[in-house]
Amino acid sequence: MYGFVWNHEVRRLFSQRAMRVVWVVAMIGGLGAFVSFVDPDHHLHQPHRILVDTDVDTDDVFALFYLLKQDRTQFHLQGITINANGWSDAGHAINHVYDILFMMDRDDIPVGVGGEGGILANGTILPNVGGYQPIIDQEMSTAGECRYRQAIPVARRGRLDVNSNYGLRKAFLPQGSRRYTPLQQPTAQEVMKDAISSGPTTVFLLGAHTNFAIFLMSNPDLKKNVKHIYVMGGSVRSNCPKNDSSDNSGECPNIGNLYPQDSNPYAEFNIFSDPFAAYKVFHSGIPVTLVPLDATNTIPLSRSFFTEFERRQDTYEAKYCFQALKIIRDTWLSDVFHEQYCMWDSFLVGVALSIMRNSSNGENEFAEMQYINISVVTSNEPYGISDGSNPLITGNSMPKFKVDKNGVHSGHVQMGMQDRFCLQKGKGKCQDGYTKEDTGEDAVRVLAAMKAKSNHENGSSLQKEFYKSFLRVINSPEKTGRFDIRKQYLFHREVLHKPDFGKKMSGKPVVFDMDMSAGDFLALLYLLKLPVEQINLKGILICSTGWATSATIDVVYDILHMMGRDDIPVGLGKAFAVGQANPAFSAIGDCKYSKAIPHGSGGYLDSDTLYGLARDLPRSPRRYTAENSVKFGASRDTDHPELRQPSALDVWKSIVDSLDAGSKITLLMNGPLTNLAEIILSENASSMIQVNNVKMPRPNDDTVYLCLLMQGVYIVGGHIAYVNDNGKGNLFTVPSNEYAEFNMFLDPLAAKEVFTSSLDITLVPLQMQRRVSSFSSILNRMNLTALTPEALFVQRLLSRLWQLEQEHYRYHHMDIFLGEILGAVVLAANPHLNQTFRLKPLKVLADGDITNIGEIIIDKEQGKQVLVLENVNPQAYYDHFARVLGDHRQSAVLGSFHEQERMWNSPAAKTNICCLHLDELIQTDQYMEKHLIVNLADLV
Ligand SMILES: [Ca+2]
Ligand SMILES: [Ca+2]
């Protein structure tokens, strides 16, 4: 196909200019250009150039392998771009794709993610828009609404499982040298532009259409290079038999696949994630072939296919895919996995490649095709009524992108999954994202797959033709993965580390609650370095409502592994701030507060990859897992129920149960107060309580009970408003809210719960954190300290944050994270720091207007007496921090991933670390009981 453009170009020149120009062009263009001029059929021998845009869900991974295993002389993958507002989060998705490409020996394929550009109010699209927001909500920041994306579960069976491939990714995939690096990562738009501008390209869309629509809108001149678009998405007719509808509207209900469906039973996820983008793509004039739910519903992951797949796992990629499928099945909520889980994106790729092979009229081996006329519903009637829901109209002097004020884009736009407009009885539901059959002038003709073709072989257990192809391709010995983690390292083994503190007395029991912002990792390393006689870190609670997504828990496991502390339990907290989960379906929810966190640079993208440095940490055998057991409320036991991921509450309870007589827990909160509020509320459950192994009746006030267990709570965060020298808060993405601090704002109701409890609170407020957030001071001091592996890591992270802060405005807030170390240091109470405190009556504003939610005010009548840090000596603080990190005691046992690689490459790795193979460990009965919650130490 490459030749076609040249051919065209040459003809134009030939007709316009003298013959010698042709020769010049032919020489510039190389021999190929000239050959194509004399041989019009030459292009048939060129590979099809393909660009894939994917949201890296599990079925996308299957699709990628299916594509990567094709003959490269026939199908050439030019680039992969990541859809950042779909089923995965950008930082996890990008590294997942890099791992897959490394494994398949395809480090040559460019991968694009994100971008920091925006769209101006007048509709001007700046370069490199990151695609974190649907086009209609895209403004100048990467923070923003979750209007459509809230349909996707955030944690289990949603983004958490997809980000980690159910916990399998780190267990299976090898790791190459490519990775996300801040400000160096190619953006989605750059990769699209490079691929498409260099020749005729076929585009596969496996997620929402945001990236590609933005590309088409901002590069109209390159549209001619897009040969064809293949889309998995939408739902046209559904599989409802005619005249068999269960509601009175005469329509077939539940055409789409969102859940719950009460507000919009028509839409399919990929189109719903950005209906306006899909409209732009379908109506671009480029030929589209669609594989909607109509077709994918006819190719479910049937029992017999599953059984056959289980039998045929000849390649590592087949194993990876099958294990993922198996855990998806085992954790499926209902018993109808085999009917509900379909071949979506891999089927699209199968159909597309087959059509491209046959090269003409849509004929293919796998699906029955039909031309239909459709349009994408982007807003519901009544059109032209401005009700505040439509950002193309509302708040702009002229409608954005020049949309017609009374046209198809100007009606009500669905606001969320509980939009009242969509739920009114008798008024019809919302149809946003519906690929509706349409005969009007706005319709476009697309070739659509309507049904998967049956297998023509007699007696095969695989009923569909594509089942056969998929298993053949994925198991094909050609172009199989170059590496798996065990082949990459001849002596790969997973061992757990446990410290040997000898007879040292254990110090103050501390539980650390972190939202995995950069400063929390610095604080964690510091806590691990404090002498165990002084601070005994008993457990870590992960707060999932702050600056990183839940799957980043793996970075915490890696830090603990590096420091030889696989004995410390880590529990994963709830995905939503108090009151934000959907009351009808708690796996999804709103982002009223979390939308203040940027998705791109300086936000989730960086936290989830720890600013590109997380891959330098050794890989822990502990990692997030979707494994589960009936005992803990799951539908069924998975293969390794003992590996179940503990929740924050599990870890809390197990620590409480194991407390020595007379000792009390000190809690350090470094993120939003979600987990602590849950702990307070959960103590309502039973009438008997246990304190220091003694059972006793519950006191009337729950928090009184907690006071028996807890020495006190240190809270890092909060800004006390309206005090003269305190300045403003730090909510830079919500400029109307001048005085709040992020940790309070991100879960205000949790903060209110904590600030009305009877717990002893010590507050380390923003104003004090600011006093110790000088990058130059701390780095100067770090330069003088001994370079333990942990000091080196801290130094690299701090230098990177500082450098980014200076280099790009998206990183202007990096000092927020530096200030977060202070809580841990204050808790350790080093006498040289001259810490002073004062009691103040404080109240958190939790309800009411967004402009003051999260503020802390002094309230003499209703405020709670809180001990507030009033002074600290910054120089002594930097000194102390650097000295602790440079101490050779309690230092890393495995300094880096490189060191781990060396260990995995040598036969009898020296080890004075106490260790045990994970495989052996899993086989022990005690492990079944105690898994990884607390007492791993007992086993080792
Ligand atoms: Ca997908
Ligand atoms: Ca934090």
Side-chain angles (χ1 to χ4, degrees):
M1 294 301 128
Y2 200 84
F4 181 76
V5 165
W6 281 109
N7 203 0
H8 177 78
E9 185 73 357
V10 171
R11 271 174 217 254
R12 189 175 63 78
L13 289 164
F14 185 67
S15 64
Q16 286 174 358
R17 297 179 188 191
M19 186 67 180
R20 66 186 169 82
V21 178
V22 175
W23 282 106
V24 172
V25 170
M27 285 165 77
I28 293 168
L31 195 57
F34 183 63
V35 171
S36 72
F37 176 59
V38 295
D39 171 15
D41 288 327
H42 174 75
H43 66 270
L44 291 176
H45 311 302
Q46 296 286 336
H48 296 274
R49 300 161 41 84
I50 296 169
L51 174 92
V52 175
D53 187 71
T54 164
D55 62 344
V56 204
D57 196 352
T58 316
D59 62 313
D60 299 66
V61 170
F62 300 173
L64 281 177
F65 280 124
Y66 186 87
L67 186 52
L68 289 166
K69 288 181 70 72
Q70 302 295 323
D71 182 354
R72 270 157 82 169
T73 61
Q74 198 172 12
F75 299 107
H76 200 271
L77 186 51
Q78 301 292 315
I80 297 174
T81 52
I82 287 168
N83 165 212
N85 59 351
W87 278 80
S88 60
D89 293 295
H92 297 290
I94 182 77
N95 283 337
H96 194 178
V97 170
Y98 281 145
D99 287 346
I100 287 172
L101 292 178
F102 173 72
M103 169 168 137
M104 299 304 284
D105 203 6
R106 292 304 304 274
D107 277 350
D108 59 304
I109 297 174
V111 187
V113 74
E116 295 300 317
I119 300 180
L120 301 175
N122 68 9
T124 306
I125 301 173
L126 301 184
N128 285 321
V129 175
Y132 301 102
Q133 306 300 325
I135 292 176
I136 61 165
D137 284 329
Q138 177 67 56
E139 294 173 356
M140 291 307 294
S141 149
T142 66
E145 297 285 347
C146 55
R147 179 195 299 268
Y148 304 121
R149 202 185 188 197
Q150 67 180 269
I152 298 170
V154 169
R156 283 187 178 264
R157 297 176 200 88
R159 278 148 57 191
L160 168 59
D161 281 335
V162 171
N163 283 335
S164 61
N165 201 5
Y166 297 77
L168 298 170
R169 185 181 135 203
K170 266 180 73 190
F172 269 79
L173 295 185
Q175 178 173 322
S177 58
R178 286 211 293 175
R179 60 165 76 183
Y180 162 79
T181 304
L183 300 182
Q184 289 173 31
Q185 174 62 44
T187 66
Q189 293 299 318
E190 284 166 358
V191 169
M192 279 185 167
K193 199 168 176 177
D194 280 355
I196 293 169
S197 62
S198 59
T201 306
T202 301
V203 175
F204 293 178
L205 299 179
L206 312 184
H209 294 191
T210 315
N211 286 334
F212 190 55
I214 288 171
F215 171 81
L216 292 177
M217 290 166 80
S218 41
N219 299 281
D221 55 314
L222 288 174
K223 203 195 276 187
K224 64 178 189 303
N225 277 14
V226 182
K227 248 188 96 194
H228 202 102
I229 306 168
Y230 290 89
V231 173
M232 191 279 125
S235 186
V236 184
R237 291 174 184 164
S238 88
N239 294 308
C240 268
K242 283 231 156 58
N243 306 321
D244 178 26
S245 66
S246 62
D247 70 0
N248 298 327
S249 66
E251 292 174 335
C252 174
N254 303 347
I255 292 175
N257 65 356
L258 308 180
Y259 43 86
Q261 295 198 308
D262 46 356
S263 64
N264 184 332
Y266 302 96
E268 176 278 336
F269 276 105
N270 287 347
I271 308 298
F272 183 71
S273 295
D274 195 342
F276 185 78
Y279 185 97
K280 285 288 177 192
V281 169
F282 280 101
H283 291 77
S284 63
I286 301 165
V288 173
T289 297
L290 179 66
V291 175
L293 294 183
D294 308 50
T296 57
N297 284 346
T298 67
I299 184 160
L301 247 138
S302 69
R303 226 169 277 272
S304 47
F305 172 77
F306 187 90
T307 310
E308 185 63 13
F309 197 177
E310 187 161 32
R311 208 174 58 76
R312 287 168 62 187
Q313 298 175 56
D314 301 334
T315 61
Y316 201 67
E317 49 276 20
K319 287 191 180 77
Y320 186 57
C321 293
F322 179 76
Q323 291 302 320
L325 262 191
K326 184 163 191 318
I327 197 154
I328 294 172
R329 186 190 71 169
D330 292 348
T331 54
W332 205 252
L333 272 182
S334 61
D335 287 327
V336 286
F337 167 83
H338 291 295
E339 290 81 53
Q340 288 181 341
Y341 196 91
C342 300
M343 299 191 93
W344 293 292
D345 292 339
S346 60
F347 188 55
L348 176 273
V349 172
V351 170
L353 298 185
S354 180
I355 291 175
M356 289 158 86
R357 265 193 206 101
N358 295 329
S359 81
S360 55
N361 51 1
E363 276 309 305
N364 73 89
E365 304 157 79
F366 307 125
E368 293 174 15
M369 311 298 288
Q370 191 179 333
Y371 280 100
I372 49 173
N373 293 310
I374 59 160
S375 187
V376 182
V377 179
T378 59
S379 72
N380 276 15
E381 295 192 82
Y383 295 143
I385 303 291
S386 180
D387 66 351
S389 64
N390 193 328
L392 295 178
I393 310 287
T394 307
N396 302 318
S397 52
M398 293 286 286
K400 219 169 185 175
F401 309 124
K402 302 193 180 100
V403 303
D404 179 355
K405 261 191 172 170
N406 299 301
V408 292
H409 303 309
S410 64
H412 178 87
V413 180
Q414 187 162 354
M415 300 286 280
M417 304 314 282
Q418 290 181 291
D419 183 347
R420 264 184 258 150
F421 180 93
C422 314
L423 294 166
Q424 291 174 61
K425 279 221 167 87
K427 290 221 169 174
K429 315 239 163 158
C430 281
Q431 303 192 346
D432 302 45
Y434 181 19
T435 44
K436 193 177 189 172
E437 247 182 312
D438 187 353
T439 50
E441 38 182 78
D442 200 40
V444 267
R445 187 166 179 255
V446 300
L447 182 62
M450 301 311 283
K451 198 178 166 197
K453 283 186 180 170
S454 300
N455 184 350
H456 295 301
E457 273 172 35
N458 287 331
S460 168
S461 66
L462 300 171
Q463 305 95 326
K464 308 288 174 187
E465 195 64 25
F466 183 65
Y467 288 156
K468 242 174 27 185
S469 167
F470 181 82
L471 287 184
R472 182 173 45 74
V473 170
I474 198 90
N475 283 300
S476 144
E478 284 101 44
K479 280 171 285 307
T480 192
R482 177 175 58 157
F483 291 128
D484 62 39
I485 184 101
R486 283 164 197 91
K487 276 193 217 140
Q488 190 181 5
Y489 308 111
L490 282 177
F491 302 95
H492 175 265
R493 58 203 171 278
E494 298 204 299
V495 294
L496 290 159
H497 301 158
K498 165 197 177 266
D500 179 9
F501 292 127
K503 291 196 177 107
K504 283 181 191 155
M505 292 290 288
S506 281
K508 177 149 91 176
V510 170
V511 172
F512 181 43
D513 184 294
M514 60 192 283
D515 70 343
M516 305 186 287
S517 53
D520 296 0
F521 286 96
L522 301 170
L524 172 61
L525 280 167
Y526 167 83
L527 289 172
L528 291 165
K529 293 292 295 173
L530 289 172
V532 70
E533 309 91 286
Q534 187 191 352
I535 296 288
N536 178 15
L537 186 58
K538 299 280 283 183
I540 294 170
L541 313 182
I542 300 296
C543 170
S544 304
T545 59
W547 278 83
T549 67
S550 310
T552 305
I553 189 174
D554 283 352
V555 182
V556 178
Y557 284 127
D558 289 349
I559 291 266
L560 292 174
H561 189 59
M562 162 175 159
M563 298 302 289
R565 296 303 305 270
D566 293 326
D567 58 314
I568 296 178
V570 184
L572 189 55
K574 289 222 160 119
F576 290 105
V578 177
Q580 292 300 294
N582 185 312
F585 184 62
S586 62
I588 64 171
D590 200 1
C591 58
K592 183 174 173 187
Y593 309 116
S594 61
K595 73 180 180 195
I597 300 173
H599 284 79
S601 294
Y604 293 116
L605 174 62
D606 281 308
S607 298
D608 288 346
T609 54
L610 197 59
Y611 294 78
L613 296 175
R615 289 188 153 217
D616 292 334
L617 297 167
R619 282 161 73 141
S620 171
R622 291 199 298 173
R623 47 196 159 241
Y624 164 74
T625 177
E627 302 278 1
N628 216 332
S629 68
V630 173
K631 205 164 97 183
F632 289 91
S635 309
R636 57 195 78 75
D637 276 355
T638 56
D639 280 357
H640 294 288
E642 74 284 355
L643 288 176
R644 186 186 65 89
Q645 176 64 49
S647 71
L649 206 55
D650 289 337
V651 165
W652 171 260
K653 286 184 169 160
S654 66
I655 292 169
V656 167
D657 288 346
S658 70
L659 267 190
D660 296 332
S663 66
K664 287 184 171 193
I665 301 167
T666 300
L667 192 53
L668 171 61
M669 303 296 298
N670 252 44
L673 303 179
T674 314
N675 290 330
L676 181 52
E678 193 195 9
I679 288 169
I680 293 171
L681 294 169
S682 80
E683 297 301 345
N684 292 321
S686 70
S687 60
M688 292 296 285
I689 58 166
Q690 183 167 323
V691 177
N692 294 337
N693 296 319
V694 180
K695 280 217 185 311
M696 60 168 75
R698 154 176 305 287
N700 290 333
D701 182 345
D702 296 317
T703 57
V704 170
Y705 159 57
L706 276 176
C707 292
L708 295 174
L709 298 172
M710 280 162 73
Q711 192 75 43
V713 187
Y714 286 75
I715 294 175
V716 175
H719 182 64
I720 303 168
Y722 316 125
V723 175
N724 291 341
D725 60 343
N726 279 9
K728 301 277 172 84
N730 65 2
L731 224 54
F732 64 93
T733 46
V734 191
S736 68
N737 185 323
E738 292 181 83
Y739 291 99
E741 178 276 339
F742 268 107
N743 286 347
M744 298 300 117
F745 176 82
L746 289 170
D747 196 343
L749 290 171
K752 186 179 173 184
E753 189 69 43
V754 172
F755 276 78
T756 51
S757 73
S758 47
L759 293 171
D760 279 340
I761 297 178
T762 304
L763 190 71
V764 180
L766 184 61
Q767 180 214 6
M768 293 307 300
Q769 295 171 46
R770 282 179 175 150
R771 285 214 204 149
V772 291
S773 51
S774 158
F775 278 108
S776 59
S777 303
I778 198 164
L779 278 166
N780 280 340
R781 192 54 195 80
M782 287 300 294
N783 283 338
L784 302 175
T785 198
L787 273 190
T788 59
E790 57 275 16
L792 184 64
F793 187 78
V794 164
Q795 210 179 47
R796 290 183 64 209
L797 180 56
L798 285 171
S799 310
R800 182 158 285 187
L801 297 178
W802 193 30
Q803 191 189 354
L804 289 168
E805 185 175 82
Q806 292 162 325
E807 237 171 78
H808 199 280
Y809 72 102
R810 291 286 197 220
Y811 293 94
H812 69 87
H813 57 290
M814 292 299 102
D815 57 326
I816 294 180
F817 304 127
L818 181 49
E820 288 187 302
I821 311 170
L822 183 59
V825 177
V826 166
L827 180 150
N830 185 287
H832 300 293
L833 300 185
N834 303 333
Q835 300 171 181
T836 58
F837 301 88
R838 182 181 300 199
L839 270 175
K840 283 183 183 163
L842 300 183
K843 183 179 165 184
V844 179
L845 304 184
D847 332 86
D849 201 63
I850 202 81
T851 58
N852 58 22
I853 279 185
E855 263 177 27
I856 294 183
I857 55 165
I858 294 182
D859 184 334
K860 289 197 173 113
E861 266 120 60
Q862 298 178 333
K864 174 185 168 60
Q865 290 295 330
V866 169
L867 207 55
V868 181
L869 180 68
E870 285 239 312
N871 202 9
V872 69
N873 176 344
Q875 212 46 54
Y877 163 86
Y878 297 129
D879 258 16
H880 166 74
F881 178 80
R883 200 154 11 86
V884 169
L885 264 298
D887 193 331
H888 287 287
R889 289 166 295 180
Q890 288 180 217
S891 185
V893 296
L894 197 52
S896 65
F897 181 65
H898 279 306
E899 197 176 310
Q900 188 172 41
E901 284 186 299
R902 281 200 296 277
M903 195 180 94
W904 286 342
N905 278 326
S906 64
K910 55 85 211 187
T911 176
N912 39 19
I913 312 156
C914 181
C915 57
L916 188 64
H917 286 256
L918 189 66
D919 291 346
E920 297 165 39
L921 192 63
I922 287 171
Q923 285 159 16
T924 62
D925 286 347
Q926 298 105 306
Y927 185 81
M928 297 286 283
E929 284 306 310
K930 301 191 177 183
H931 45 92
L932 290 169
I933 286 202
V934 206
N935 289 326
L936 200 61
D938 298 349
L939 302 170
V940 182

